[in-house]
């Protein structure tokens, strides 16, 4: 049986995005890095499975309905009356910039457990994706470890995106130590430039890359915002600039970039050399840039055929 599809394991959020300068009116949107990735790969046409614990309250129903609209399967997620969905409030500053205001989690212990995680889904998918959001809490960390075991046993490509949120961790040391131990197990790793420097205890891209390259991660990608991204394969670095777009909201651009990468790996396999890696970087940069042209953290809808023509894939 040929394997298809992407698994995204994580925690779903409801983002409350302020729509006025007084921060009294909010627009409710889907959020969370692993949700953004799942929507991104689904919008790019890949079968996508989101695995999490869902509540049955109005916010849980909102998340479920929105993900189903996006074509993301929740077949292997678990639902419970006890769960309350996490929320993030994003405020507008006087200058019109958006900034993180507060994070709400009323039921921090209500997470997917390893006993609730099924092995069957891993037998039919091609890529398993996760981030640090399931690593700072012990129960969800054990679930992630079980998922990694299943992914390895079923020959899934393992993709990891740090998406560090230091406020959730008991200490910087614990965060660094845990995240490093997991990213070493991945085939595809994506870090933002500041995350690379935090994890490597460095202050420049060059110094960070010099340290992390000793771990021989098969495919490493570093995003640099408007400057583009760097891809590393077989110890060789390749830089690709970001396309110019009319940016409105940069939230979720990195998740969109990762969705673009996973599309390439899923559809075309491992890049064999510089030409293929360049194509993957260019495609991911375009998907990431496009996500900044709309409010909210989700990958923008785009004409896939037109995008491929633009970068000659």
């Amino acid at each position: 049986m040929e394997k298809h599809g992407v698994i995204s394991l994580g925690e779903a959020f409801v983002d409350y995005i302020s729509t006025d300068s007084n921060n009294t009116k909010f627009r409710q949107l889907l959020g969370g890095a692993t949700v953004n990735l799942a929507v991104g790969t689904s919008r790019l046409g890949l079968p996508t499975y989101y695995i999490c614990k869902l509540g049955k309250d109005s916010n849980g129903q909102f998340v479920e309905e929105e993900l189903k609209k996006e074509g993301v399967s929740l077949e292997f997620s678990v639902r419970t009356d006890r769960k309350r969905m996490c929320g993030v409030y994003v405020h507008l500053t006087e200058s019109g910039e958006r900034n993180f205001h507060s994070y709400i989690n009323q039921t921090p212990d209500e997470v997917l457990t390893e006993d609730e995680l099924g092995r069957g889904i891993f037998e039919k998918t091609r890529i398993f994706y996760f981030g640090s959001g399931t690593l700072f809490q012990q129960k969800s960390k054990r679930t992630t470890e079980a998922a990694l075991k299943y992914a390895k046993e079923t020959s899934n490509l393992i993709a990891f995106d740090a998406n560090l949120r230091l406020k959730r961790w008991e200490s910087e040391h614990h965060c660094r130590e845990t995240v490093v131990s997991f990213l070493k197990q991945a085939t595809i790793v994506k870090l933002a430039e500041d995350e690379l420097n935090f994890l490597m205890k460095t202050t420049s891209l060059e110094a960070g890359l010099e340290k992390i390259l000793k771990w021989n991660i098969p495919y490493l990608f570093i995003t640099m915002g408007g400057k583009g991204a760097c891809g590393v394969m077989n110890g060789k670095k390749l830089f690709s600039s970001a396309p110019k777009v009319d940016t409105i909201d940069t939230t979720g651009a990195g998740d969109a970039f990762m969705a673009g990468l996973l599309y390439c790996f899923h559809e075309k396999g491992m890049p064999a050399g510089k030409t293929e890696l360049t194509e993957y970087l260019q495609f991911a940069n375009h998907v990431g840039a496009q996500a900044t042209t709309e409010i909210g953290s989700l990958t923008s809808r785009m004409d896939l055929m037109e995008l491929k023509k633009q970068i000659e894939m």
Side-chain angles (χ1 to χ4, degrees):
M1 181 182 72
E2 191 174 358
K3 291 158 68 72
H4 290 286
V6 175
I7 295 171
S8 181
L9 172 73
E11 182 82 32
F13 287 75
V14 177
D15 284 347
Y16 299 95
I17 310 293
S18 177
T19 58
D20 69 326
S21 57
N22 295 321
N23 297 305
T24 57
K25 298 177 183 177
F26 295 88
R27 180 181 174 191
Q28 189 179 32
L29 296 170
L30 273 178
T34 52
V35 166
N36 299 339
L37 184 284
V39 171
T41 53
S42 181
R43 287 183 175 182
L44 289 169
L46 301 183
T48 302
Y49 304 86
Y50 191 66
I51 303 179
C52 70
K53 181 162 281 188
L54 290 163
K56 294 183 179 179
D57 60 358
S58 59
N59 280 344
Q61 291 171 9
F62 169 76
V63 169
E64 188 151 356
E65 288 168 5
E66 291 300 304
L67 282 172
K68 285 182 177 177
K69 284 180 192 174
E70 294 291 348
V72 176
S73 173
L74 290 165
E75 179 183 354
F76 299 91
S77 288
V78 173
R79 296 150 185 84
T80 173
D81 291 325
R82 298 183 298 276
K83 175 74 176 178
R84 296 292 178 267
M85 306 310 294
C86 299
V88 172
Y89 280 85
V90 179
H91 282 192
L92 274 173
T93 64
E94 290 183 5
S95 62
E97 296 291 321
R98 298 182 184 279
N99 71 321
F100 170 83
H101 179 264
S102 56
Y103 165 71
I104 298 168
N105 187 356
Q106 296 174 291
T107 53
D109 292 326
E110 281 298 326
V111 296
L112 191 75
T113 66
E114 54 187 316
D115 295 335
E116 296 167 329
L117 180 72
R119 186 182 189 278
I121 179 57
F122 293 85
E123 293 174 348
K124 63 180 183 178
T125 52
R126 191 172 294 175
I127 298 174
F128 167 62
Y129 162 86
F130 71 111
S132 68
T134 56
L135 301 181
F136 64 88
Q137 202 262 21
Q138 283 303 308
K139 279 199 293 186
S140 59
K141 180 184 173 188
R142 287 195 294 270
T143 304
T144 307
E145 290 168 339
L148 267 173
K149 179 174 178 287
Y150 293 153
K152 291 174 183 176
E153 289 173 352
T154 54
S155 301
N156 273 257
L157 275 177
I158 296 169
F160 177 78
D161 187 348
N163 272 309
L164 298 180
R165 302 292 182 268
L166 286 175
K167 290 182 180 179
R168 300 181 190 171
W169 293 83
E170 62 185 42
S171 69
E172 289 189 358
H173 172 75
H174 182 225
C175 173
R176 186 180 288 112
E177 188 177 63
T178 304
V179 170
V180 164
S181 71
F182 277 85
L183 70 81
K184 286 181 177 179
Q185 302 181 61
T187 310
I188 306 163
V189 171
K190 193 224 92 180
L191 303 171
E193 186 176 0
D194 61 337
E195 292 172 336
L196 171 70
N197 283 319
F198 168 78
L199 294 171
M200 298 298 103
K201 297 183 179 180
T202 52
T203 56
S204 71
L205 177 66
E206 294 74 18
L209 285 173
E210 185 178 347
K211 290 187 74 170
I212 200 171
L213 287 181
K214 295 173 183 176
W215 297 341
N216 296 315
I217 295 165
Y219 301 96
L220 173 67
F221 298 90
I222 309 298
T223 54
M224 301 177 291
K227 295 181 291 183
C230 171
V232 184
M233 180 178 70
N234 298 324
K236 295 179 179 174
K237 300 184 283 289
L238 181 69
F239 291 87
S240 178
S241 60
K244 301 296 181 185
V245 294
D246 293 326
T247 297
I248 295 175
D249 184 358
T250 59
T251 310
D255 303 322
F257 175 94
M258 188 62 158
L261 273 184
L262 296 193
Y263 172 84
C264 294
F265 275 91
H266 187 281
E267 295 297 281
K268 303 186 72 171
M270 308 287 200
K274 182 178 178 180
T275 300
E276 291 85 357
L277 186 62
T278 299
E279 287 181 354
Y280 288 20
L281 273 171
Q282 289 178 338
F283 185 84
N285 271 333
H286 275 77
V287 177
Q290 196 63 33
T292 71
T293 63
E294 295 178 9
I295 292 174
S297 61
L298 298 181
T299 303
S300 297
R301 297 184 186 278
M302 60 192 74
D303 186 324
L304 191 54
M305 294 303 295
E306 182 60 32
L307 181 56
K308 288 180 178 179
K309 286 179 185 175
Q310 287 178 24
I311 59 174
E312 299 179 350
M313 276 187 77

